[in-house]
Amino acid sequence: MSMNNQGRPSAIPANSGAFDGVTGTVTGNRGLQIEEPLIFEQDSAGRTGVDLPDVPKVASRLGAVKPRAKVGLPGLAEPQVVRHYTRLSQKNYAIDSGFYPLGSCTMKHNPRLNEKMARLPGFSDVHPLQPVSTVQGALELMDQLAHWLKTLTGMAAVTLAPAAGAHGEMCGIMAIRAAHEAKGDSGRTKILVPESAHGTNPATAAACGYSVDAIPATADGRVDLEALKAKLGPDVAGLMLTNPNTCGLFERDIIAIADAVHEAGGYFYCDGANFNAIVGRVRPADLGIDVMHINLHKTFSTPHGGGGPGSGPVVFAESLAPYIPVPYVTHGKDGFALVENAGEGPAFGRMKAFHGQMGMFVRALSYMLSHGADGLWQASGDAVLNANYVMARLEDVMTASFEGPCMHECLFDDRFLKGTGVTTLDMAKALIDEGFHPMTMYFPLVVHGALLIEPTETESKASLDQFVEALRALAERAKSGDVTYFQAAPRLTPRRRLDETAAARKPVLRWTPPVVAEALAAE
Amino acid sequence: MRYLPLTEADRQSMLEAIRATSVEDLFRDVPKSARLAGPIGGLPNHMGELEVERLLGSMAAKNVPAGSVPSFLGAGAYRHHVPATVDHLVQRGEFLTAYTPYQPEVSQGTLQVLFEFQTQVALLTGMDVANASMYDGATSCAEAVMMANRITRRKKAILSGGLHPHYRDVTTTDARFIGFEAVALPAAPTGGEDLLALVDDKTSCVVVQNPDVFGHVRDYTDLAAACQAKGALLIVVVTEALSLGLLTPPGDMGADIVAAEGQSFGNALNFGGPYVGLFAVKDKYVRQMPGRLCGETVDADGRRGFVLTLSTREQHIRREKATSNICTNSGLCALAFSIHVSLLGEAGITQLAQLNHTKAVQMADKLAAVPGVQVLNDGFFNEFTVKLPKPAAAVVEELAKRRILGGVPVSRLYPGAMEDLLLVAVTETNTDADMDAFAAALTEVLA
Amino acid sequence: MTKKFTKDHEWVLVEGDIATVGVSDFAQSQLGDVVFVELPEAGRELEQGKEAAVVESVKAASDVYAPVSGTVIEANQALVDDPSMVNSAAETDGWFFKIQLKDASELDALMDEAAYKAFVEESH
């Protein structure tokens, strides 16, 4: 069997009950932490949180379809709804409240100006199918964003359509395939992907019908150029490479890599997830990249929102520019125009219902304008400086996986925990009690028990110092053999370690009305 | 620069700690030929808030907001009133600036929201379970087809001519590159397709939309049973989620998968995105489902809590064997959806759906009274198709000059075809005066 | 009756021309809590070394390869209902499927228990 033993523990450790966090209050509440039932458990029939006009007395015209009997939604008044979501929000960690060093996720400050701009009615209250003459400003914004993205990457063309990074990857690989097909080259069945890649890379290549061939890493955490060359040939459609890579390192051989891929007739796809490390300092076109997606929610700070929405524009070099999907903005004789149908050119198709994540475009452009060329230069510099500082201050107590300098994130593995009984996961959970969001754990897969730290440029030195001191103390504590302390962590959170095994064995994925639940249980 | 806390003194002391000579020195692994010497050319330098507001405000001012004029556009995006509470709550930093809830102990807020969202979507669609959302309705539709392919181990989808053409295009784009067959029927502005006749032993699924892109509502109960008898699944697409507050839901008709656009609840028009894809299935298909799922469990103290679950289906574990390459959902849009639906509740959603429907009936009658205009629908929810005596695109431009956004010309969705058809959507935001103004302006334009 | 092991941590127990297949106790200890198994249906032809089943813990999904070629005659339904048996009884009640052997000589290349034990100690 193939075995992924990098998976983190999912059951609750035996010692975890050592701290009693529940009792002590009648309500189960603990000061500012207030327990909150499901909305379905607060239902009162007929109650509502909206006041609507009376329905005009008109005969309905539903054709052959019957009106439904009931939906089964609960009724709550507005103050209950406000309290419900406010209490729930207080159970979340967030960038607004603390340091979020989640490697490869880029949790930087989300400026509120961007929120305000996205809510201007001229952007937020515009229908995607309004006459083009009534949305010239929206098209101008898309055109401006495209200009910034092309300038920052040195690329010839951009599509704004993809809804997220992974969607952008899909778009890029489709363009590569369309380009090979247009040349009548049907023998290219493989995409090369380094072992350290994000999971989306092999998933995308496989989804697009390519077989995935993994390229090993060298001892210094980079792509093995010779191994790559050995795999290149007339059957390779392209290479997907993240740069800076997922170990937080810049691929020194990148130009030689690009040349080798091009010589073999393939295209070079760059996963731009880590573009924030080099934005404004290095143009991907100068590295030989043919196509790259950009996560606006990382590099350009559109909010992560608890898991989306993202936005994943894709930039293309001249060689792939003809194959971008619809829709896209052009300059027409009466101002901006919108090409919406694939039949109008060589575009390979459509990725999304409308024009892309407009709300995210406004936020990203607002971020770009705020920073400007000088601010972006400083931002990527500070991001890299912060990561190297954290690495320098921890490498004597933790084990850095590779030699620096790193780029925007630094990678440690669990060798420093060897023999302590404490795992990477335990360290992460103990950090939570110290008031920090954990770093990324168990990714990338190329090192054992990975701890990937990305501070971002929006953290102050004081904040980094506090984090470093906490982590140093925890590393010492682990080495001193205090396993129990770690296994019981976190102690101070709204919920303690959750039983993910039970959740996966007997999935409960929705609330069920009590009567139905009883009937199901009786079966 | 207001977003960067490091001072020059900080930078110097940090460089000393690293034993580096300069920040540029940290970029030494970048090939020299690719390193810029200073800030990139061709772009302006940083701006204060006021300047950014001025610049973006001037762009925004060049658009005609749908709410500033009588507006009757639909075709997959609907202008509904969003209660003030929704936007206030989604801007709480704990929701707005949190990551995907991979650390459940400090993400119970987002997780409980997702669990409630999944339940709301399951209830609205009449299905057993729903996921934590997809990018949008069109991508949900394509993912539903691919899921049906996996379940049936067949590779041919039949797409109704009533399916939104953009949803069709997203699905056929995936078909081309991912390698399955998608047979798209010609547009059917008056219905009358025989979908079942096309179902054979290679067919994985039939995709219908309800209400369809021309606004027709249909009962698909018989089609569902007939598809299933031939080993194929029925996928029902819904682009106007509010219709689920009034119409028999797809689940009750026997649908296997529902793929829907949830923008109508809580989300502004936003010129087309971000929106929130809904995805609901029968229980037995859960493990073949794409996207994130939140499940209930207990913590170390035995208290109820929530976690992301069944994640072995996903790309970060299964890599090239994942059910889909999807990595994000539409978290914040799903939150907005959920808050709006919570505010509405059972009573509110029913009333709102009825209000939309009856206003649309009134509008249809007003337009039918305009000389030369014919309403094509017998049954509809809040959107219908009218046949005009002139090309609809030109009529819409004329209406825009009179400051009325009078619907979507069908030819915008089907270039060069059905040029005399116009889609008209009516919601609770349209007043009686709006409707009268629209009918009067149309009379004038057609005269 | 012979029990053999593969380098990919499957075990195979042969009785006559029927082979019972599962994953080793070492494998289950590495997987963590198993939450789901997907087994091949009866009648499916399996080829040595090719994917035959899937075993999932919360954070990992692994393919189980066929240690020998043959036709599936039975999948362990009890394991589908209670996947935790992979953890509690990996090499007994937690078997995955039984196949009708196609070529008994394929067994020759596999390790016996002692060799497998040594292999595990050496490589992990």
Side-chain angles (χ1 to χ4, degrees), chain A residues 67-309:
Chain A
R68 72 189 291 175
K70 66 175 232 190
V71 181
L73 294 168
L76 287 80
E78 183 180 298
Q80 296 175 293
V81 172
V82 169
R83 197 166 277 171
H84 178 72
Y85 290 98
T86 302
R87 286 177 175 175
L88 291 186
S89 76
Q90 290 167 337
K91 300 178 199 303
N92 272 0
Y93 198 87
I95 314 169
D96 273 4
S97 46
F99 185 41
Y100 219 124
L102 206 49
S104 108
C105 299
T106 315
M107 299 299 284
K108 61 167 97 170
H109 171 62
N110 296 152
R112 287 314 193 274
L113 171 65
N114 307 351
E115 295 303 306
K116 184 178 176 186
M117 293 300 95
R119 285 169 172 80
L120 292 173
F123 296 131
S124 65
D125 193 19
V126 180
H127 191 285
L129 298 173
Q130 276 181 219
V132 168
S133 60
T134 67
V135 294
Q136 286 295 304
L139 299 181
E140 182 183 344
L141 184 129
M142 290 170 72
D143 187 64
Q144 270 297 306
L145 180 70
H147 172 69
W148 276 79
L149 292 174
K150 286 188 287 186
T151 306
L152 290 170
T153 57
M155 299 292 228
V158 59
T159 172
L160 301 178
H167 207 215
E169 286 178 31
M170 196 71 128
C171 176
I173 297 300
M174 285 175 175
I176 288 176
R177 176 117 171 220
H180 285 308
E181 283 176 8
K183 286 189 276 190
D185 189 347
S186 57
R188 298 185 182 269
T189 56
K190 273 200 304 205
I191 293 271
L192 305 181
V193 181
E195 285 169 346
S196 62
H198 292 115
T200 50
N201 293 175
T204 301
C208 289
Y210 287 111
S211 63
V212 177
D213 203 346
I215 315 165
T218 54
D220 67 352
R222 289 164 173 93
V223 167
D224 185 333
L225 181 59
E226 292 315 310
L228 169 72
K229 283 183 177 164
K231 286 184 190 269
L232 284 169
D235 57 341
V236 173
L239 165 73
M240 289 182 94
L241 176 70
T242 308
N243 188 43
N245 69 26
T246 59
C247 302
L249 303 170
F250 197 92
E251 294 284 351
R252 288 186 208 111
D253 294 332
I254 188 152
I255 293 177
I257 289 171
D259 289 346
V261 171
H262 292 149
E263 251 166 60
Y267 291 101
F268 182 3
Y269 184 96
C270 180
D271 179 329
N274 295 339
F275 185 47
N276 58 305
I278 57 171
V279 63
R281 285 176 178 262
V282 180
R283 304 187 314 162
D286 297 336
L287 302 170
I289 290 160
D290 298 306
V291 47
M292 180 178 100
H293 80 261
I294 298 164
N295 305 78
L296 294 186
H297 50 285
K298 293 182 179 178
T299 303
F300 301 109
S301 185
T302 68
H304 283 76

Side-chain angles (χ1 to χ4, degrees), chain A residues 5 265 272 347 363 404 418 441:
Chain A
N5 56 12
R363 290 172 175 89
K418 200 162 186 177
M441 305 174 295

Side-chain angles (χ1 to χ4, degrees), chain B residues 78-312:
Chain B
Y78 299 87
R79 186 171 190 280
H80 291 288
H81 175 71
V82 178
T85 300
V86 175
D87 204 41
H88 164 77
L89 289 170
V90 300
Q91 286 197 76
R92 285 192 64 91
E94 302 93 326
F95 286 132
L96 186 76
T97 74
Y99 194 69
T100 305
Y102 289 135
Q103 297 290 335
E105 299 90 344
V106 287
S107 311
Q108 285 298 302
T110 294
L111 286 161
Q112 185 169 334
V113 166
L114 293 179
F115 186 79
E116 292 176 350
F117 170 83
Q118 288 172 185
T119 307
Q120 288 170 326
V121 174
L123 288 168
L124 279 164
T125 55
M127 302 297 283
D128 297 326
V129 282
N131 74 10
S133 80
M134 311 287 278
Y135 301 141
D136 70 0
T139 50
S140 269
C141 171
E143 288 285 347
V145 168
M146 290 185 269
M147 175 174 161
N149 293 346
R150 288 192 296 274
I151 291 169
T152 60
R153 298 185 189 193
R154 298 176 180 181
K155 282 194 157 187
K156 186 169 81 178
I158 311 287
L159 312 181
S160 157
L163 180 64
H164 194 298
H166 292 174
Y167 287 46
R168 177 201 65 199
D169 290 350
V170 170
T171 307
T172 54
T173 298
D174 277 347
R176 172 181 165 194
F177 291 99
I178 290 169
F180 59 91
E181 199 183 341
V183 182
L185 272 66
T190 50
E193 324 173 287
D194 189 358
L195 290 162
L196 197 58
L198 295 168
V199 177
D200 59 23
D201 60 5
K202 293 190 175 61
T203 308
S204 65
C205 59
V206 170
V207 183
V208 295
Q209 181 176 318
N210 203 32
D212 76 6
V213 69
F214 299 100
H216 303 289
V217 292
R218 295 192 185 86
D219 188 328
Y220 289 107
T221 308
D222 294 342
L223 181 64
C227 286
Q228 287 146 10
K230 291 188 173 191
L233 306 190
L234 181 72
I235 296 170
V236 176
V237 167
V238 180
T239 61
E240 170 47 297
L242 180 61
S243 68
L244 297 167
L246 181 62
L247 304 178
T248 302
D252 290 8
M253 294 180 185
D256 295 283
I257 307 174
V258 177
E261 173 53 63
Q263 173 267 331
S264 287
F265 294 113
N267 286 277
L269 289 169
N270 280 323
F271 198 48
Y275 290 173
V276 49
L278 313 181
F279 199 100
V281 305
K282 286 180 175 167
D283 240 338
K284 59 182 170 184
Y285 300 134
V286 166
R287 280 182 184 271
Q288 291 299 330
M289 200 176 194
R292 286 186 189 133
L293 284 168
C294 172
E296 185 182 315
T297 188
V298 291
D299 80 347
D301 296 322
R303 293 176 296 178
R304 177 171 70 185
F306 303 92
V307 291
L308 291 181
T309 191
L310 302 185
S311 52
T312 43

Side-chain angles (χ1 to χ4, degrees), chain A residues 6-66:
Chain A
Q6 292 283 340
R8 61 184 174 83
S10 60
I12 296 168
N15 286 327
S16 64
F19 174 84
D20 181 0
V22 189
T23 55
T25 60
V26 178
T27 52
N29 299 339
R30 289 193 292 154
L32 293 178
Q33 276 178 27
I34 299 178
E35 291 294 304
E36 180 63 11
L38 296 169
I39 43 171
F40 306 97
E41 294 159 349
Q42 303 180 48
D43 173 34
S44 191
R47 194 164 54 196
T48 176
V50 294
D51 289 313
L52 295 168
D54 292 335
V55 177
K57 299 252 175 300
V58 180
S60 69
R61 212 171 291 173
L62 295 177
V65 179
K66 291 190 187 66

Side-chain angles (χ1 to χ4, degrees), chain C residues 43-92:
Chain C
R44 196 171 130 194
E45 299 284 339
L46 299 178
E47 201 182 319
Q48 187 179 31
K50 294 284 163 62
E51 290 155 24
V54 177
V55 55
E56 295 184 4
S57 61
V58 173
K59 296 294 164 190
S62 304
D63 292 311
V64 177
Y65 305 118
V68 284
S69 307
T71 309
V72 177
I73 53 171
E74 190 188 348
N76 187 359
Q77 190 55 41
L79 194 65
V80 174
D81 298 336
D82 180 11
S84 68
M85 275 163 49
V86 176
N87 297 117
S88 59
E91 298 191 20
T92 53

Side-chain angles (χ1 to χ4, degrees), chain B residues 12 15 170 211 250 276 284 293 320-321 349 387 394:
Chain B
Q12 281 314 318
L15 284 169
V170 170
V276 49
K284 59 182 170 184
L293 284 168
E320 70 265 27
K321 286 179 183 156
I349 209 162
K387 194 169 189 288

Side-chain angles (χ1 to χ4, degrees), chain B residues 336-375:
Chain B
F337 174 105
S338 198
I339 298 169
H340 193 182
V341 171
S342 296
L343 282 164
L344 287 165
E346 183 76 16
I349 209 162
T350 308
Q351 192 177 348
L352 185 63
Q354 282 171 345
L355 193 59
N356 273 252
H357 177 59
T358 52
K359 277 181 173 282
V361 169
Q362 289 175 317
M363 186 78 245
D365 288 345
K366 285 183 206 285
L367 292 181
V370 175
V373 176
Q374 184 196 344
V375 175

